[in-house]
Amino acid sequence: MDMCAAEATASLLQVEETFSACLARIDALILKPLLQAEPSDQKGKENFKLFLLLNDLFQALWNLTEENYRILKQKCSTSESFCIQDIYTVWKGDLFLSLYIRYFVTFANYVVVHGFEHATKSKSEAWKDHKAVLKQFLTDFTSETSMSLALYTVLHKPIRDHIEQYILLLTKLQEVLKEGSEKTVVTSAIKEYVKLQSFISQVLDEACFTKSLWKSLGYKFTDMLCVPERRLLEDSKNLPISASTNRSDRILLFDDVLVLIQGNSFQSFDLKLVWVDENCREKSAPGMYGLRIITPEETFFLFAKDPQMKAVWQWKLNQAVRQALNGKRDFPLWGKTGEGTEPPSCRFFTYVFRLEGKFKSASYEGEWHWGKPHGKGTLKWRDGRNHVGDFKEGLEHGFGICLVPRQSEDRYDCYKCHWYEGKMRGYGICEYGNDMVYKGYFKDNVRQGFGILEKFSAEHPFKYTGQWENDKKNGYGVWEDKDRGERYIGTWLDDHKHGQGIVVTQSGVCYQRTFHADKMVGSGILLLEDDSVYEGNFTEDLTFVGKGKLSFANGFVLEGTFTNKSGQGLQMHGTLNTSNEQLDDRITKAQLGLEEFPVEKRWKGIYDQFLEFIHSGCKEETEESFTGFHIQTSKELRKSQEYLFCQRGTEDVSWKIEDILEDLVQHQGLESLQSYLEKALKSSLHPLGKLLKALAIAFQATYSGIGANRHLLTMAQEEVKYYAKKIWEFYQGLLHLALEQKGQLPAKCMDGDTSDQKACNVVLPLILPCFYPELFMLYMLYHEREDDLYCQGIMDLSLFPDIKLLEFLDVQKHLWPLKDLTLTTNQRQSLIKDKCFLSATECLQKLITTVDPREKLVILQKTYEEIESTVSRVVDKDYKLPMDDLLPLLMYVVSRAKIQHLGAEIHLIRDLMEPTNRGGLYDFLLTALESCYEHIRRIRLHQRENCHVTHSS
């Protein structure tokens, strides 16, 4: 090996010495004179800059040759052993190849712009003086008589010959080397130099081909199309092909653009945004073989007369597109036909739309697929509009953020929304430039369905929660005027209160009227805070006018005509009836809105979105239609969309839609179903959880704050029950879809429960915590006066020591737990308090710690069991309490438990308990608790009446 390397080194040393001398002569006799002949015209100056770059690369190539020669000579002058690493052209092969490639690419650029022709026409004195010497020198290299052709030959032929010598020397070395790593290295180096030979040949052929084109074209085309780096790859004059609809006389394929020339004009298409489709059928050109060319704004066809011609153009187009996308040419430029991968159909690029359409003048930067924006991207218009988001087949599709400048002020409307085929559709958040924010659903670029519009500024703040149609408030909705301290609950038409409506004020006054275009019409009912009820006509400031009837809480009724003259106050002409008894609760606690707003017609916009999701087959993209109300900020909305597509979340349960449908099938048993629904309804990622969140927002908008009015209790109560029914229906819809996808039939209900019963038994206890604060507040307000009496009765009874209270309540003495009355020093048994039936009392106090009526009934049962257990211990045997014994004992426990709003608790349990519990033990115990509550109330009421009689006497 050492001998082989030594011989190769010696041969290479001689070659490098000769080549270096040649380069020195070229530098001295050609390059230096040309460098002194700097032109003055603009075209000449541009070419001269290119020549300077070519000279720099020539010098670098010369320096590399000199360095290689120096290293080889040093090796030969020493007695050190040789190895492959000593051959610089192998060891530093990449460096040699890179420099040669750069030199010949720049050389070809100079050829394309007719650089040598311009150089030899120089009028400088230095060039004229040197011309004769130069001619003599050039005859040593070429027989060309043309000075420009001679220069062209001199500056490339010696270098190409030198590469040929490298290959010959390395081939001889390869032949004598034994198999092993060194032979592999040399073989690899030979292959790269052979590729370099091919590359140089192709580069020069392309340059001459392109140069000929610029000669044949007119100045207009040349000035606009000719740039040094551009290469002509194919010309329809050489390889015939035609464009559809006679749109061009000539087709030129360059390495960066496709050009169609017709007459005196041309069109160019950036190859990075050109797609070639061979599978096309164009009826207008029978017998022709077509290629469909797709660009961002135009699609046209190229036709060849035979399949071979089509195949060549298709291959050349695809390779040109692929290399343009890579940002560099192949090495070598062209392989064999069929080699090289096809260009990707998905790309990333920036493009400015020119033609008429919604994107005219907009700049799009992002992902493309077959000529259309597809994937992530950004659109920017000159007027300041901006859209960042997802695109599909050329249109906004998926999540996107759109900024729209307001014309009258330097502010923007910001839409953070879902888009479908170019239009806003589904859930979105719009932050308007006028301090208003809309959170809700869109369709065809307008607000449609359920949505919330809120104004946060100090001037006229408001909040609307309800139905939208065609960008206007239409249908059922709730409006809160924060300036006036009022809430309107009712129907709307074209942004106006229209139809039946309820108004609740901050002061507790509540009225129901008919509205027409925001104006009250006809008579209505006005419920005042002092339990007075007015039926008739009245103004917006609640002044009685015209015919009306005013019923006072004490039963007096004033009926007639009311007037309100300036300075004279309210006047009335009519009759006062004092013979009636106190007004019935049905009047003072009248429930509004039940007939006017049927529960099934409220919040249709929320249910419709979910129905659309189920009917679509629960596709992931339609899930976005009702995504959002579990989210408070736009930032969270973006994260939510990332979760939909990437499945990144903090929850340990996967809520992918395919997993959801699979789990539904696996959890059909009652216990398993309850556990599954509990997790689903608590999750902000499960469709049922999202639905529940939207319903909770609608409920709070209606009944919290100003809306906490006792006249709305039944409306709220039936709404919560209806929520449970709809959630059960939607669960059934999801289950049927899941079973259908598995080819199974839904199981028949074996327990005989109806859908309403299932909703009440299974769903209602799970969703009640979401609505309990507002709902229980309504119960407390409705039963406020009864609970006040009850609380006063409890306060009176709390003054009794245990023995006195047991005696007062007529508890039989043999049931008194006297052993529980532990005495301390100086303490009398008759004065001890809060010791008897302590375990039962503590158990009953837990009633307020839970929201589920079922759990409250279980607590009541345990309280009963604790009372019975204590009595059994006292009488020293199992003792089943008869009703006569139970009531006094339960009343004792209730009085000691001191539950503040027991009336509200009892009625909530009664209204929301499962129908299956009616008539059973739970019903019996609840009735007993009601009797205790009423008895304690009557105790206080009798005391109040007796006190009133005493004072009267």
Side-chain angles (χ1 to χ4, degrees):
M1 168 51 212
D2 289 347
M3 183 62 69
C4 295
E7 290 176 4
T9 304
S11 300
L12 189 58
L13 181 65
Q14 186 178 356
V15 167
E16 293 294 69
E17 184 177 16
T18 305
F19 183 56
S20 184
C22 175
L23 294 179
R25 292 180 67 200
I26 293 172
D27 180 60
L29 295 174
I30 295 179
L31 297 180
K32 279 188 169 60
L34 284 173
L35 289 171
Q36 293 174 6
E38 184 174 351
S40 57
D41 62 296
Q42 184 61 34
K43 185 70 175 175
K45 286 182 178 181
E46 291 175 4
N47 288 350
F48 189 70
K49 287 180 182 178
L50 202 55
F51 183 75
L52 289 175
L53 178 58
L54 182 65
N55 177 66
D56 290 344
L57 291 167
F58 180 91
Q59 301 300 326
L61 200 151
W62 185 13
N63 290 338
L64 187 63
T65 305
E66 287 285 324
E67 184 180 358
N68 191 28
Y69 175 74
R70 180 180 57 77
I71 292 171
L72 291 169
K73 191 172 184 180
Q74 183 180 355
K75 281 289 181 182
C76 291
S77 63
T78 62
S79 57
E80 297 177 23
S81 60
F82 287 96
C83 63
I84 291 298
Q85 281 77 8
D86 295 327
I87 302 175
Y88 209 50
T89 47
V90 175
W91 179 40
K92 290 280 189 177
D94 290 346
L95 183 62
F96 274 75
L97 290 169
S98 173
L99 190 53
Y100 277 106
I101 289 170
R102 288 167 60 203
Y103 176 81
F104 276 99
V105 167
T106 306
F107 180 85
N109 291 346
Y110 196 62
V111 170
V112 165
V113 296
H114 300 82
F116 293 111
E117 286 82 346
H118 284 102
T120 54
K121 292 177 183 177
S122 172
K123 296 179 180 180
S124 71
E125 293 300 321
W127 178 250
K128 289 177 181 177
D129 294 343
H130 205 72
K131 223 170 184 179
V133 180
L134 184 61
K135 282 183 178 179
Q136 181 60 45
F137 169 68
L138 291 175
T139 56
D140 296 343
F141 290 93
T142 177
S143 58
E144 292 287 352
T145 54
S146 165
M147 182 69 75
S148 60
L149 283 175
L151 281 174
Y152 166 79
T153 305
V154 166
L155 286 175
H156 82 86
K157 190 173 185 304
I159 300 171
R160 293 180 71 180
D161 292 343
H162 189 60
I163 294 170
E164 180 68 32
Q165 288 180 312
Y166 278 158
I167 294 171
L168 290 172
L169 285 171
L170 291 175
T171 303
K172 287 180 182 179
L173 179 61
Q174 179 202 31
E175 290 172 353
V176 297
L177 284 174
K178 295 179 181 179
E179 293 295 331
S181 59
E182 290 190 334
K183 186 169 185 175
T184 303
V185 170
V186 173
T187 302
S188 177
I190 292 170
K191 287 181 179 178
E192 291 303 311
Y193 280 108
V194 170
K195 284 183 182 179
L196 177 62
Q197 265 191 325
S198 177
F199 175 81
I200 292 169
S201 176
Q202 291 169 348
V203 160
L204 295 179
D205 286 348
E206 275 189 359
C208 294
F209 190 33
T210 308
K211 176 183 171 183
S212 300
L213 172 71
W214 300 139
K215 277 186 177 180
S216 68
L217 288 178
Y219 284 112
K220 177 183 176 182
F221 292 131
T222 303
D223 288 345
M224 297 180 74
L225 291 172
C226 179
V227 290
E229 297 79 13
R230 179 168 288 162
R231 297 290 181 272
L232 178 65
L233 305 182
E234 197 50 82
D235 185 344
S236 62
K237 280 194 173 182
N238 300 324
L239 195 66
I241 200 166
S242 60
S244 55
T245 62
N246 299 318
R247 61 180 293 161
S248 67
D249 304 323
R250 192 172 183 180
I251 300 165
L252 303 174
L253 173 62
F254 292 96
D255 61 342
D256 60 337
V257 292
L258 177 66
V259 176
L260 275 60
I261 297 177
Q262 185 172 25
N264 292 322
S265 63
F266 72 90
Q267 277 184 290
S268 67
F269 302 94
D270 190 324
L271 287 183
K272 292 177 183 175
L273 284 174
V274 167
W275 285 260
V276 182
D277 181 13
E278 63 171 323
N279 301 312
C280 68
R281 299 285 184 271
E282 179 62 15
K283 296 179 181 178
S284 61
M288 302 291 279
Y289 298 87
L291 294 170
R292 186 162 62 124
I293 306 300
I294 300 167
T295 71
E297 295 186 89
E298 292 186 69
T299 297
F300 54 90
F301 294 87
L302 299 180
F303 294 108
K305 291 184 178 179
D306 58 68
Q308 291 78 19
M309 200 78 72
K310 171 189 171 180
V312 173
W313 268 97
Q314 180 187 340
W315 182 79
K316 287 201 171 189
L317 278 164
N318 277 330
Q319 297 311 303
V321 170
R322 180 180 56 77
Q323 292 183 51
L325 288 169
N326 290 340
K328 62 177 183 179
R329 305 294 301 278
D330 286 352
F331 180 77
L333 294 180
W334 305 101
K336 296 176 183 176
T337 303
E339 285 185 357
T341 57
E342 288 192 358
S345 57
C346 297
R347 306 171 191 175
F348 187 95
F349 201 68
T350 301
Y351 179 80
V352 178
F353 290 89
R354 299 173 290 103
L355 303 183
E356 288 295 331
K358 65 181 295 187
F359 293 164
K360 184 180 180 182
S361 302
S363 168
Y364 174 79
E365 179 183 15
E367 296 171 324
W368 296 79
H369 183 258
W370 285 103
K372 294 179 179 178
H374 190 94
K376 307 291 183 186
T378 301
L379 268 173
K380 293 181 179 179
W381 284 265
R382 292 176 183 172
D383 62 5
R385 281 179 296 155
N386 191 323
H387 183 99
V388 181
D390 301 321
F391 292 80
K392 183 178 179 181
E393 297 181 2
L395 296 171
E396 306 95 323
H397 192 96
F399 184 77
I401 299 175
C402 183
L403 288 176
V404 180
R406 296 178 75 86
Q407 294 180 353
S408 58
E409 46 195 313
D410 188 21
R411 305 182 80 176
Y412 287 82
D413 293 341
C414 179
Y415 296 87
K416 300 167 186 180
C417 188
H418 298 105
W419 301 71
Y420 182 83
E421 295 181 354
K423 295 180 179 179
M424 286 186 290
R425 176 175 168 181
Y427 180 79
I429 296 175
C430 179
E431 297 165 349
Y432 300 102
N434 56 2
D435 296 322
M436 287 197 285
V437 175
Y438 174 80
K439 296 179 182 180
Y441 298 112
F442 290 85
K443 187 175 182 181
D444 295 339
N445 286 338
V446 297
R447 294 169 293 196
Q448 182 86 10
F450 177 74
I452 301 167
L453 180 67
E454 189 164 7
K455 185 176 182 181
F456 295 96
S457 63
E459 187 178 353
H460 307 306
F462 66 82
K463 182 177 181 180
Y464 172 79
T465 305
Q467 189 72 10
W468 296 77
E469 286 182 19
N470 297 321
D471 220 32
K472 294 182 179 180
K473 296 183 279 291
N474 272 292
Y476 181 75
V478 177
W479 170 277
E480 184 169 334
D481 187 328
K482 297 182 180 180
D483 272 349
R484 292 173 60 92
E486 287 184 356
R487 183 172 296 172
Y488 170 85
I489 303 165
T491 54
W492 296 74
L493 180 66
D494 293 340
D495 276 339
H496 298 290
K497 302 182 187 81
H498 195 92
Q500 290 296 315
I502 299 169
V503 176
V504 184
T505 68
Q506 214 160 21
S507 63
V509 174
C510 180
Y511 61 89
Q512 183 170 311
R513 288 290 296 269
T514 301
F515 288 80
H516 183 86
D518 286 335
K519 302 294 183 183
M520 293 191 295
V521 295
S523 61
I525 180 170
L526 174 62
L527 303 165
L528 301 168
E529 184 65 10
D530 64 357
D531 281 348
S532 299
V533 178
Y534 176 78
E535 297 168 86
N537 202 354
F538 49 91
T539 62
E540 283 190 12
D541 62 0
L542 307 184
T543 302
F544 306 155
V545 291
K547 290 184 177 181
K549 182 172 84 170
L550 178 61
S551 303
F552 296 95
N554 62 3
F556 291 7
V557 176
L558 189 60
E559 189 169 4
T561 303
F562 294 86
T563 56
N564 186 23
K565 295 181 180 178
S566 178
Q568 297 179 13
L570 181 66
Q571 295 180 340
M572 187 268 177
H573 297 280
T575 59
L576 174 64
N577 187 345
T578 61
S579 63
N580 296 332
E581 296 181 359
Q582 187 171 351
L583 286 184
D584 191 280
D585 276 356
R586 286 175 296 178
I587 298 175
T588 59
K589 295 183 178 180
Q591 295 298 290
L592 304 180
L594 301 179
E595 294 180 3
E596 293 75 16
F597 316 119
V599 67
E600 62 273 8
K601 292 187 178 179
R602 300 176 218 160
W603 314 124
K604 275 186 86 281
I606 298 176
Y607 304 130
D608 289 347
Q609 297 296 331
F610 202 99
L611 281 172
E612 185 180 329
F613 172 58
I614 293 178
H615 291 158
S616 74
C618 294
K619 293 176 182 175
E620 250 187 25
E621 65 175 34
T622 56
E623 184 180 356
E624 296 182 41
S625 293
F626 63 94
T627 292
F629 284 102
H630 62 288
I631 284 161
Q632 297 302 313
T633 66
S634 317
K635 188 176 180 182
E636 288 177 308
L637 180 64
R638 176 69 267 180
K639 286 181 179 177
S640 174
Q641 305 325 303
E642 289 172 358
Y643 181 89
L644 282 175
F645 297 108
C646 307
Q647 288 304 316
R648 298 172 186 157
T650 55
E651 298 192 31
D652 57 357
V653 180
S654 171
W655 294 119
K656 282 185 177 180
I657 195 62
E658 57 267 27
D659 295 333
I660 289 171
L661 295 177
E662 179 64 33
D663 285 348
L664 283 167
V665 178
Q666 304 299 325
H667 295 84
Q668 295 187 65
L670 183 58
E671 288 187 16
S672 177
L673 171 61
Q674 286 177 325
S675 175
Y676 175 81
L677 285 178
E678 185 175 8
K679 288 180 182 177
L681 291 167
K682 284 181 179 178
S683 170
S684 61
L685 301 173
H686 192 287
L688 292 176
K690 293 173 185 173
L691 174 63
L692 179 59
K693 182 62 179 178
L695 293 172
I697 288 173
F699 190 82
Q700 289 162 8
T702 312
Y703 304 109
S704 67
I706 299 172
N709 190 291
R710 64 187 178 188
H711 302 291
L712 303 180
L713 171 60
T714 308
M715 210 176 142
Q717 178 208 111
E718 67 175 12
E719 202 164 299
V720 172
K721 289 180 179 179
Y722 189 71
Y723 293 161
K725 178 183 175 183
K726 295 303 288 184
I727 288 172
W728 178 257
E729 286 178 9
F730 289 139
Y731 157 74
Q732 289 285 308
L734 288 171
L735 177 60
H736 286 192
L737 179 65
L739 291 170
E740 188 178 289
Q741 291 181 358
K742 285 180 166 288
Q744 300 177 19
L745 293 173
K748 292 184 179 179
C749 187
M750 302 300 291
D751 52 16
D753 282 356
T754 64
S755 178
D756 287 357
Q757 288 172 328
K758 281 286 188 183
C760 186
N761 296 348
V762 179
V763 180
L764 185 58
L766 298 176
I767 70 169
L768 196 54
C770 294
F771 310 104
Y772 192 80
E774 292 77 23
L775 185 60
F776 192 68
M777 174 60 75
L778 294 173
Y779 271 97
M780 288 194 299
L781 292 170
Y782 188 90
H783 298 283
E784 185 176 16
R785 286 178 173 77
E786 297 93 323
D787 276 344
D788 282 348
L789 275 176
Y790 153 79
C791 285
Q792 289 169 18
I794 289 291
M795 291 298 293
D796 293 340
L797 294 177
S798 68
L799 301 175
F800 287 87
D802 286 356
I803 291 178
K804 287 287 187 185
L805 184 56
L806 290 168
E807 187 178 353
F808 178 77
L809 296 174
D810 292 330
V811 177
Q812 295 187 47
K813 287 191 176 182
H814 71 282
L815 303 180
W816 292 6
L818 298 178
K819 292 178 182 178
D820 295 340
L821 305 179
T822 309
L823 299 178
T824 58
T825 308
N826 299 325
Q827 192 173 24
R828 292 168 57 187
Q829 190 181 55
S830 59
L831 298 179
I832 293 176
K833 291 169 60 175
D834 302 324
K835 294 294 183 183
C836 292
F837 298 98
L838 185 59
S839 60
T841 301
E842 290 174 346
C843 185
L844 186 61
Q845 287 170 335
K846 294 176 183 176
L847 197 71
I848 63 172
T849 63
T850 180
V851 302
D852 184 354
R854 185 170 46 195
E855 292 178 8
K856 290 178 185 288
L857 288 169
V858 170
I859 290 170
L860 187 56
Q861 182 185 5
K862 287 181 178 177
T863 302
Y864 167 71
E865 290 168 356
E866 286 294 333
I867 294 172
E868 205 167 60
S869 173
T870 302
V871 171
S872 295
R873 180 167 49 80
V874 170
V875 299
D876 202 18
K877 64 177 181 179
D878 285 342
Y879 191 87
K880 297 299 178 184
L881 287 169
M883 189 64 169
D884 290 344
D885 287 344
L886 173 62
L887 277 178
L889 289 171
L890 185 57
M891 199 178 308
Y892 173 89
V893 172
V894 169
S895 66
R896 289 307 193 216
K898 300 183 180 69
I899 297 173
Q900 190 175 3
H901 302 287
L902 185 59
E905 292 280 4
I906 290 170
H907 285 87
L908 182 139
I909 297 169
R910 176 68 71 192
D911 291 340
L912 301 179
M913 67 190 289
E914 296 174 9
T916 53
N917 289 327
R918 304 192 192 284
L921 176 62
Y922 286 148
D923 199 354
F924 165 72
L925 293 175
L926 186 60
T927 302
L929 185 61
E930 283 177 308
S931 298
C932 295
Y933 174 78
E934 291 298 329
H935 192 73
I936 293 171
R937 277 184 61 235
R938 282 198 297 270
I939 290 172
R940 182 59 187 176
L941 187 60
H942 291 156
Q943 287 181 347
R944 181 182 290 181
E945 289 173 352
N946 291 336
C947 183
H948 179 71
V949 170
T950 303
H951 282 299
S952 299
S953 301

